[in-house]
Amino acid sequence: MGETASLTIDPGFHVADVPPRLFGSFVEHLGRCVYTGIFEPGHESSGEDGFRGDVLDLTRELGVSVVRYPGGNFVSGYRWEDGIGPVQARPQRLDLAWHSLEANSFGVGEFVSWSQKARVEPMMAINLGTRGVQEACDLLEYCNHPGGTYWSDLRASHGHSKPFDVRLWCLGNEMDGPWQIGHKTAAEYGRLAAETARAMRMLDPDLELVACGSSHSSMPTFGAWEATVLEEAYDLVDYISLHSYYEETNGDLGSFLAAATDMERSIDSVIASADHAAARARSRKRIDLSVEEWNVWYQSNASVQKAQTDWPVAPRLIEDTYNVADAVVVGSLLITLLRHSDRVRVACLAQLVNAIAPIRTEPGGASWRQTIFYPFAYMARFARGRVLRVDVRAPVYETKKYGDAPFVHAVATYDEDTGEVAVFAVNRRQGEAVELSIGHRAFPGYRVVEHLQLADDDIRAVNTEAQPNRVRPTRSAGWEGDGKTTRVRLRPVSWNVIRLALPTPE
C-alpha cells in the first residue's frame, strides 16, 4: 500500500462539545442565490410563499444549522426597509456591490419565514457601510420587539405578529476591505461597532454580536485590525469574524489540498489577537471566532460583471462547478473547524445556492448536489457529542504555498448518547492510497459500522444537471481490526468518514 499514518482516540482527551452552529451557511443577494435559488415564485416545487421546495429539502438534507443574511458585500449598501411590506410597493434599487438590480421582492420577513421552513437559525447582518446606529436599532426593533412601538407594530401589520427573536447579529461585513461600500479604518469601524453594539444591547441585552475581523489573512492590516477593533469593542461583542477562501492556482494541486493548514494558522492568529486584547482589557471574558465565510472559491475565474453598462436582475455570478478535489478540500477545512471547536463556535459555508455553493439550480428546472455537498452533509450528520483531541502521525510532503503538510488530516467525535465514534479523515496523497491505523484501546471491542469515502479515479469529475449523481460517497470494505486497532485504506485524494461502535448483539 505504501505510506501509513496513525492516530489514537480516547474520550479522556477532548477539545469541546461539537458546536451546532459550526454547520452554518450563507444567503446573500448575490447573483442567483436568492432569486431562482431559494426563492422562485412559479416554480413547480414552490408554494404560495415562492420558496423552492426542492431547495428546502436539500437544505435540510445538508444539515445546515444557521444561515447568515443578507450579506456579504451586498449588506453594506442595503436599506432593509426596502424589503418589507407589500411586495408591489417595494422599490427597485441599484446594488453597487454586485452591479445588479435588486427587486426587493425577498426581504427580512421572507428570510425569517424561509428559515423557519428550512429549520435553521437566522443570523442577521446589519449595514455599517452606508448606515449606522439608528438603522441597526430600527431593524432590531422590527425583528425582536414584541409590540406597541412603530417598528414592531409595522412588523405585525406585515403579517408577523410574533417577534422573529433573532439572537445572532453581524456588525457589518468586511469593513477593512477597500472594495467594501463605506470601507473604514480599524479605529473608525471599531468605534462604530462599539456604539452600535451598545445601543442594540439597550434594546435587547441578550444578543450575540459578531465584530468584523479581517477579510482574509493576507490583508496588510491582518492582526492589527483585530487588535484595534477589539480595543474599542471587546466588552460589547461576543465574536470576531474570520473569512477564508481557497482555490487551486497554476495547477498546484499539492498546495490546494493542504489549504486547511493555512486556515489553521489564520484561526490561531486571530485567537492570539483576541486573547491579547483580553489581556490588555484585563477582561475575564473570552472572545470566540465566527468563521462566517469559508469555502473553495475560484476568484481568479470570477465574472462580477462590474464593467457592464446594464444592471441585470439576478445574473449568473460566481457559479463555480466543484470537482472531487474541491470536495476533499472542503472536507479538510471542516476538519480544521472541528479541531478548533473550543474557539470557533460559528461557521458559515458561503454560499448556500448557486453562488459558490453546494446546491445548484436552474430557473424553472432542476436542482442538484455539487460534490462539496457531501462532506458537509455527512459531517453535519455524524459529528455529534464531543470533538476528540486527535494527534495524527503521518508522512509529510512539501507544498509551494504552505510549506510541509501531512498526507493525512483527521479529527474524531464521540457521542456518549449513542456510544458511536466518527473519524473524519482526508488523504492528500496523489496517486497512492494510505493505510490509516486507528488506535482505540479506550473503546475496546469497537468495530467499523460504516466507512464512507468520496473519491474518484478522475479527481476532476463533477456533478451537473445532466449527471447529478456522477460523484457521491460510496461504502468501502477496505478495513480490518482486532477490537483495539482498526486499519482503514484511504484512497488517493479522498475524504472519508469511519464510524465505529460496539457490535450490536444478535
Side-chain angles (χ1 to χ4, degrees):
M1 179 176 291
E3 300 288 1
T4 61
S6 65
L7 61 84
T8 300
I9 51 177
D10 190 312
F13 299 91
H14 61 273
V15 179
D17 291 341
V18 176
R21 288 172 170 169
L22 204 69
F23 299 102
S25 191
F26 180 27
V27 166
E28 179 176 1
H29 288 248
L30 188 175
R32 299 193 308 113
C33 185
V34 172
Y35 304 112
T36 71
I38 66 172
F39 181 70
E40 188 178 353
H43 189 273
E44 64 179 7
S45 72
S46 299
E48 293 182 0
D49 51 20
F51 306 151
R52 281 189 61 148
D54 56 348
V55 174
L56 280 169
D57 289 342
L58 287 173
T59 301
R60 290 188 285 260
E61 181 186 337
L62 187 60
V64 174
S65 56
V66 60
V67 172
R68 179 173 175 247
Y69 174 87
N73 294 350
F74 173 82
V75 77
S76 293
Y78 182 50
R79 301 174 177 91
W80 68 268
E81 305 93 327
D82 290 347
I84 61 175
V87 173
Q88 62 273 18
R90 297 181 189 180
Q92 292 189 333
R93 300 282 190 187
L94 299 180
D95 168 29
L96 304 183
W98 301 109
H99 197 91
S100 304
L101 183 65
E102 174 54 52
N104 284 307
S105 54
F106 186 98
V108 173
E110 285 82 11
F111 171 66
V112 173
S113 295
W114 177 87
S115 297
Q116 292 168 350
K117 287 201 169 186
R119 298 196 289 270
V120 303
E121 177 187 5
M123 179 183 188
M124 197 71 70
I126 59 177
N127 178 356
L128 290 187
T130 60
R131 313 191 87 183
V133 177
Q134 187 59 63
E135 292 86 356
C137 290
D138 291 346
L139 175 58
L140 175 59
E141 183 182 324
Y142 183 88
C143 288
N144 285 11
H145 197 70
T149 65
Y150 174 79
W151 289 112
S152 60
D153 287 349
L154 187 63
R155 181 199 67 238
S157 74
H158 295 157
H160 306 284
S161 58
K162 293 183 179 180
F164 297 151
D165 194 31
V166 179
R167 295 291 96 201
L168 191 56
W169 295 76
C170 304
L171 300 174
N173 175 76
E174 293 186 355
M175 299 309 301
D176 63 326
W179 59 85
Q180 199 72 204
I181 302 169
H183 160 62
K184 293 172 174 59
T185 66
E188 290 169 340
Y189 169 72
R191 178 73 172 167
L192 178 58
E195 293 304 322
T196 305
R198 184 177 289 110
M200 291 177 72
R201 291 195 186 282
M202 290 178 181
L203 276 171
D204 193 337
D206 297 325
L207 300 177
E208 296 178 68
L209 302 179
V210 184
C212 286
S214 297
S215 300
H216 50 80
S217 60
S218 60
M219 292 292 290
T221 54
F222 180 68
W225 172 276
E226 284 78 5
T228 301
V229 168
L230 290 177
E231 186 174 359
E232 291 282 353
Y234 193 91
D235 288 328
L236 294 164
V237 300
D238 304 285
Y239 305 92
I240 188 81
S241 72
L242 173 65
H243 295 183
S244 292
Y245 291 108
Y246 299 94
E247 64 179 309
E248 182 183 351
T249 57
N250 302 317
D252 186 3
L253 179 60
S255 293
F256 179 52
L257 292 170
T261 63
D262 181 73
M263 177 189 266
E264 184 158 350
R265 293 182 188 120
S266 299
I267 288 172
D268 289 341
S269 296
V270 175
I271 290 172
S273 293
D275 289 348
H276 178 65
R280 287 175 59 89
R282 294 176 173 82
S283 176
R284 296 182 179 180
K285 175 182 176 180
R286 188 181 77 171
I287 296 289
D288 288 325
L289 272 62
S290 172
V291 187
E292 59 197 23
E293 291 187 30
W294 70 271
N295 201 350
V296 170
W297 177 8
Y298 287 89
Q299 297 185 58
S300 58
N301 298 330
S303 174
V304 179
Q305 300 183 5
K306 285 193 175 182
Q308 292 188 2
T309 56
D310 63 334
W311 294 82
V313 176
R316 292 179 182 265
L317 297 181
I318 59 174
E319 296 192 6
D320 285 353
T321 297
Y322 293 113
N323 60 35
V324 173
D326 297 325
V328 171
V329 170
V330 164
S332 189
L333 296 174
L334 276 164
I335 287 170
T336 294
L337 296 173
L338 277 171
R339 289 176 65 90
H340 289 80
S341 56
D342 56 331
R343 297 301 292 272
V344 177
R345 306 300 292 175
V346 182
C348 299
L349 178 71
Q351 293 187 15
L352 181 65
V353 191
N354 289 325
I356 52 172
I359 300 169
R360 286 284 293 273
T361 70
E362 278 298 313
S367 59
W368 65 96
R369 305 164 188 82
Q370 293 230 68
T371 61
I372 65 171
F373 183 100
Y374 294 106
F376 188 104
Y378 282 100
M379 292 180 82
R381 183 183 308 174
F382 294 126
R384 291 285 185 267
R386 289 183 170 181
V387 181
L388 301 184
R389 195 172 299 280
V390 170
D391 181 18
V392 182
R393 297 185 178 185
V396 300
Y397 69 104
E398 184 179 355
T399 72
K400 294 178 182 178
K401 284 187 179 181
Y402 310 123
D404 288 345
F407 279 127
V408 174
H409 189 211
V411 73
T413 59
Y414 171 52
D415 187 345
E416 290 185 352
D417 293 337
T418 64
E420 184 173 302
V421 172
V423 177
F424 305 97
V426 158
N427 177 17
R428 296 167 171 150
R429 189 171 179 82
Q430 302 176 49
E432 292 187 35
V434 171
E435 181 182 270
L436 176 62
S437 176
I438 303 170
H440 50 87
R441 290 179 180 273
F443 297 95
Y446 271 48
R447 296 287 190 273
V448 173
V449 174
E450 183 179 45
H451 174 199
L452 290 167
Q453 58 184 346
L454 193 149
D456 199 283
D457 291 338
D458 178 8
I459 63 169
R460 306 300 179 183
V462 301
N463 290 338
T464 63
E465 182 181 12
Q467 290 186 298
N469 299 313
R470 167 65 180 83
V471 179
R472 60 189 310 168
T474 58
R475 286 183 171 84
S476 170
W479 59 272
E480 58 182 22
D482 59 10
K484 297 179 182 178
T485 302
T486 297
R487 290 169 295 280
V488 182
R489 181 181 182 274
L490 308 181
R491 290 180 62 183
V493 188
S494 66
W495 171 88
N496 305 260
V497 56
I498 301 106
R499 298 168 55 212
L500 300 161
L502 286 170
T504 303
E506 296 183 1

